[in-house]
């Protein structure tokens, strides 16, 4: 049975949800996936670091009270020691789930680089390193024969990036537009129900949809990063985030909402990237009052959706959860599956030779 040892960098909601799934659901996961998972290192700004090559007791660390740290545990320290742990631990795969820094993607980008440089695959839900450094990190991974997976950077566990890469290969995608932020979509729905902006944001925070600083959700900068990732991954064009004209939803008034409803329209925060006649991409983030016929108009609550406009199929829309700790942890699991499949394919020729000659060469 194949096993993958994991290092969890960041032990917030998403990593904890992953640890809970691994801890509570190990037998089912193993039966369904054909491999086992073991966590051998955890680092976190609040908890410090814990390195136990034989496997960490997840039930125990998940039960540690808020405000405590790993300092008293064997292999533990009150300091995160990210670089030392990432480079020195025995993990096969580094799971990067620290906070998103939209300016330079740090320190997450360095976490990814250190992991790849020390021979470890990476899965991340962090939009920063992907939106800002995917080309260089992807090239580093490729030269080392390692995986750099980031399905959860857009639409949490809803498999939008892999869908585009694996399901649309013979199509030309001319544009990709979507509702890419669960918090703002939830807030717009609550605003339609008469709830104030502030109260709706507080609800979204309570439900775990919002970023630590919800400004990124409300003013569109979270969507801007996701549009950059979609442009790069689906349209194959790098669009600097600074060139994506961005407007959020805080300027939408009660009167705007009432007026739109009277005309059968619904306000949505739409992120889009569209090929131009000149071969470039026009990317933007803005609130749009959509008519009921639009494929994104019926997407409500924290649900997200992406509509691909293609040459042969017309419009294809994929909808699903766009935020949430368990939903985002699922994206990490889907990345682990992708890493396992790639690794299994790499060993296949040798298996074939063993089969042919009856002995390991
Ligand atoms: N805060 C984000 C959202 C989480 O609300 O969609 C996923 O990026």
């Amino acid at each position: 049975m194949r096993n993958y040892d994991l290092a969890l960098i960041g032990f917030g909601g998403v990593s904890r949800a992953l640890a809970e799934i691994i801890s509570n659901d190990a037998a089912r996961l193993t039966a369904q996936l054909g491999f086992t998972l073991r966590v051998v290192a955890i680092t976190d700004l609040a908890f410090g670091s814990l390195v136990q090559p034989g496997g960490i007791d997840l039930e125990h660390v998940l039960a540690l009270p808020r405000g405590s740290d790993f300092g008293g545990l064997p292999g533990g320290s009150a300091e995160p020691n990210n670089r030392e742990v990432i480079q020195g631990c025995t993990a096969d795969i580094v799971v990067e789930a620290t906070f998103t820094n939209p300016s330079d993607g740090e320190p997450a980008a360095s976490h990814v680089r250190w992991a790849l440089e020390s021979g470890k695959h990476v899965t991340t839900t962090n939009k920063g390193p992907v939106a800002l450094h995917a080309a260089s990190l992807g090239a580093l991974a490729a030269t080392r024969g390692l995986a750099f997976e980031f399905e959860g950077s857009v639409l949490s566990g809803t498999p939008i990036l892999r869908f585009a890469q694996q399901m649309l290969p013979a199509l030309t995608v001319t544009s990709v537009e979507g509702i890419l932020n669960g918090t703002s979509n939830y807030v717009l729905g609550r605003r339609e129900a008469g709830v104030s902006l502030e109260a709706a944001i507080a609800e979204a925070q309570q439900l775990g949809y919002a970023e630590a600083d919800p400004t990124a959700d409300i003013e569109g900068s979270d969507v801007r990063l996701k549009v950059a990732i979609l442009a790069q991954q689906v349209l194959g064009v790098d669009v600097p985030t600074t060139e994506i004209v961005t407007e959020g939803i805080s300027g939408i008034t009660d009167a705007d909402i009432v007026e739109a409803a009277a005309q059968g329209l619904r306000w949505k925060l739409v992120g889009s990237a569209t090929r131009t006649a000149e071969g470039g991409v026009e990317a933007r983030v803005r609130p749009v009052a959509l008519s009921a016929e639009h494929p994104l108009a019926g997407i409500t609550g924290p649900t997200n959706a992406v509509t691909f406009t293609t040459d042969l199929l017309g419009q294809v829309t994929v909808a699903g959860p766009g935020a949430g700790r368990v939903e985002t942890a699922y994206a990490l699991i889907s990345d682990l599956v992708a890493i396992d499949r790639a690794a299994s394919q790499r060993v296949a020729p040798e298996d074939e030779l063993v089969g042919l000659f009856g002995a390991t060469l």
Side-chain angles (χ1 to χ4, degrees):
M1 176 71 70
R2 298 181 298 285
N3 173 71
Y4 297 102
D5 281 351
L6 309 180
L8 307 184
I9 309 305
F11 201 48
V14 172
S15 291
R16 294 176 77 86
L18 177 66
E20 282 162 17
I21 294 167
I22 294 172
S23 174
N24 300 337
D25 223 4
R28 183 188 65 80
L29 276 182
T30 303
Q32 268 178 241
L33 303 180
F35 58 83
T36 55
L37 296 167
R38 186 170 67 162
V39 176
V40 296
I42 301 174
T43 72
D44 184 80
L45 276 176
F47 285 101
S49 63
L50 183 61
V51 179
Q52 294 181 351
I56 291 169
D57 178 348
L58 293 175
E59 220 173 303
H60 178 71
V61 293
L62 284 165
L64 288 174
R66 207 178 272 271
S68 62
D69 62 54
F70 295 144
L73 301 176
S77 160
E79 299 301 319
N81 306 319
N82 284 323
R83 183 171 195 155
E84 190 182 302
V85 172
I86 291 169
Q87 293 178 331
C89 76
T90 53
D92 307 297
I93 303 172
V94 166
V95 178
E96 212 293 339
T98 63
F99 65 95
T100 291
N101 174 343
S103 311
D104 61 6
E106 294 293 354
S110 291
H111 297 161
V112 175
R113 199 172 312 107
W114 296 333
L116 295 170
E117 284 168 353
S118 58
K120 299 169 179 79
H121 302 289
V122 174
T123 165
T124 186
T125 55
N126 197 315
K127 296 164 284 262
V130 186
L132 303 168
H133 303 287
S136 63
L137 294 172
L140 175 60
T143 58
R144 305 283 170 123
L146 295 164
F148 172 44
E149 301 289 339
F150 41 82
E151 183 62 62
S153 61
V154 183
L155 259 67
S156 70
T158 306
I160 204 74
L161 299 178
R162 231 165 253 127
F163 174 83
Q165 280 154 11
Q166 296 178 8
M167 302 299 172
L168 307 177
L171 301 170
T172 299
V173 180
T174 51
S175 105
V176 52
E177 66 174 344
I179 293 173
L180 303 171
N181 183 271
T183 301
S184 56
N185 206 47
Y186 174 86
V187 166
L188 284 171
R190 298 296 288 149
R191 298 273 284 119
E192 285 174 346
V195 176
S196 72
L197 180 66
E198 294 70 26
I201 292 172
E203 286 178 15
Q205 282 179 307
Q206 194 73 30
L207 290 162
Y209 307 142
E211 299 292 306
D213 175 2
T215 315
D217 298 299
I218 300 304
E219 298 302 354
S221 61
D222 174 74
V223 176
R224 178 166 51 197
L225 293 176
K226 292 168 180 168
V227 166
I229 296 170
L230 287 171
Q232 166 202 110
Q233 297 296 317
V234 180
L235 304 180
V237 178
D238 269 324
V239 182
T241 52
T242 47
E243 288 177 16
I244 301 176
V245 178
T246 302
E247 183 189 342
I249 62 166
S250 63
I252 298 177
T253 63
D254 292 348
D256 291 333
I257 289 172
V258 170
E259 206 175 299
Q263 296 174 50
L265 306 175
R266 302 192 79 177
W267 284 103
K268 297 290 174 189
L269 183 61
V270 176
S272 61
T274 307
R275 288 190 200 282
T276 61
E278 297 74 37
V281 162
E282 185 184 292
R284 60 190 301 177
V285 179
R286 65 188 163 139
V288 186
L290 299 177
S291 67
E293 296 76 42
H294 194 286
L296 300 176
I299 304 300
T300 56
T303 302
N304 284 189
V306 172
T307 298
F308 300 92
T309 302
T310 73
D311 53 350
L312 302 181
L313 268 185
Q315 288 191 318
V316 180
T317 301
V318 178
R325 48 194 291 280
V326 173
E327 293 84 345
T328 310
Y330 175 74
L332 294 169
I333 294 175
S334 76
D335 283 349
L336 296 173
V337 171
I339 292 170
D340 174 65
R341 288 193 178 155
S344 304
Q345 276 169 8
R346 274 198 295 277
V347 300
E350 192 183 312
D351 287 349
E352 239 167 66
L353 291 176
V354 172
L356 280 174
F357 300 107
T360 309
L361 298 179

